[in-house]
Amino acid sequence: MTHPPAARALLASALSVTGLLATSGCAVDDEPRPRWFSASASASGASPAVEQPAGSGAALTEAQAQAALVTEADLGEPWRPTRGARTWRDGLLKGTTEDRDCQRLLDALYTEEPVGTPKGPQATSALDDGDTDAQLRYRVAAHPPADVDRALDWMKSLPDRCGQFTVTTTRGVVQGAEVRDLPLPPVGDARQALRVTLAGETEEGELTYLTMDLAAVRVGEEAITLTNAGLDEVYAEVTQQAVQLGAQRLAEIRKQGRAQI
């Protein structure tokens, strides 16, 4: 596996804790696009925001949450149902850092719950990219809107609060972390996404370079949360299109549910 030059630069910069990362890599808009990517559904497209009245009536059922999921049928090849959690989850995401907000982010990356534990019905899909070994986890769950909005505001502050920091894993490996804002399509009532990179070295001196997208969207009284991560290519377009499709699907299911009341 060939790691990008930014991996070693990120590690060296974070360990010295001086200045900004000189080689932070290309912007997400410049990254190679997966085979199935359609420019018409990009984050900068003209899709209108989904209008969703606050306090819109009956809560989502578990069956409705399941129906609102994004699955391999939506993403197409090379995505497929997951075969199990990757070893990098425990090896790279379990760790500590000094800043409280950065530690909270690190914990949210590991638990994949940036808005906290669901307060009602929920459903989850987990997928693997057969080409890059990336893993995507997509959840639809009931959350109090105020809790979601507070979590989104916190996420929005992290590129400034935790733009760069160091992480010490449970195995004693020091990693450099970088946090950037990731644009999302204008769907749902409120939304925020981050791209986090963790760069370190194994005891044998081999570079490790983990890229992880973390996204959350509030649609009425439910929230969509998504992680898309891997040690190779992690396409921002996958994150963006999954959020766009999922938010529109959830809004439609909510509308259908209200019509049946």
Side-chain angles (χ1 to χ4, degrees):
M1 171 182 166
T2 301
H3 295 276
R8 194 173 297 276
L10 174 57
L11 176 63
S13 177
L15 292 179
S16 63
V17 198
T18 57
L20 294 175
L21 183 65
T23 54
S24 59
C26 299
V28 292
D29 291 340
D30 296 331
E31 292 177 355
R33 293 176 174 180
R35 294 193 302 268
W36 56 267
F37 175 73
S38 169
S40 62
S42 68
S44 58
S47 297
V50 176
E51 295 183 3
Q52 183 66 49
S56 53
L60 206 69
T61 66
E62 288 190 10
Q64 289 172 323
Q66 189 72 34
L69 291 175
V70 169
T71 69
E72 71 277 8
D74 298 305
L75 299 185
E77 291 291 341
W79 291 94
R80 62 196 179 199
T82 188
R83 296 181 178 178
R86 294 286 188 262
T87 55
W88 51 254
R89 287 189 51 77
D90 286 341
L92 302 180
L93 292 178
K94 272 189 174 181
T96 59
T97 189
E98 293 182 359
D99 184 89
R100 181 183 302 177
D101 280 303
C102 302
Q103 183 66 55
R104 179 181 170 188
L105 170 62
L106 195 62
D107 293 342
L109 294 175
Y110 181 75
T111 62
E112 298 177 301
E113 293 183 347
V115 298
T117 304
K119 301 299 193 294
Q122 60 177 292
T124 302
S125 58
L127 307 172
D128 292 343
D129 183 327
D131 287 348
T132 68
D133 265 357
Q135 285 200 315
L136 185 147
R137 185 173 182 270
Y138 187 97
R139 172 183 279 178
V140 176
H143 290 274
D147 291 354
V148 179
D149 289 344
R150 280 193 293 270
L152 294 176
D153 287 341
W154 166 72
M155 289 176 62
K156 190 176 298 184
S157 73
L158 291 177
D160 290 331
R161 293 186 178 184
C162 299
Q164 285 190 308
F165 61 99
T166 57
V167 177
T168 303
T169 71
T170 55
R171 299 175 183 177
V173 175
V174 178
Q175 300 182 98
E178 183 186 41
V179 182
R180 291 186 288 158
D181 181 75
L182 177 65
L184 289 179
V187 291
D189 296 300
R191 69 210 67 82
Q192 181 61 40
L194 302 169
R195 169 154 286 205
V196 181
T197 52
L198 294 170
E201 292 184 354
T202 67
E203 294 179 355
E204 292 75 27
E206 181 182 355
L207 280 174
T208 60
Y209 190 82
L210 176 69
T211 302
M212 191 166 193
D213 290 348
L214 177 69
V217 180
R218 181 171 67 80
V219 182
E221 297 174 4
E222 283 76 44
I224 293 167
T225 54
L226 176 151
T227 58
N228 180 23
L231 294 171
D232 202 337
E233 293 286 356
V234 175
Y235 295 109
E237 287 89 349
V238 173
T239 301
Q240 292 159 339
Q241 289 200 356
V243 164
Q244 178 168 313
L245 173 62
Q248 292 170 341
R249 179 174 293 167
L250 177 56
E252 182 60 31
I253 287 174
R254 287 176 54 81
K255 185 186 300 181
Q256 293 172 359
R258 292 196 303 274
Q260 295 171 4
I261 297 175

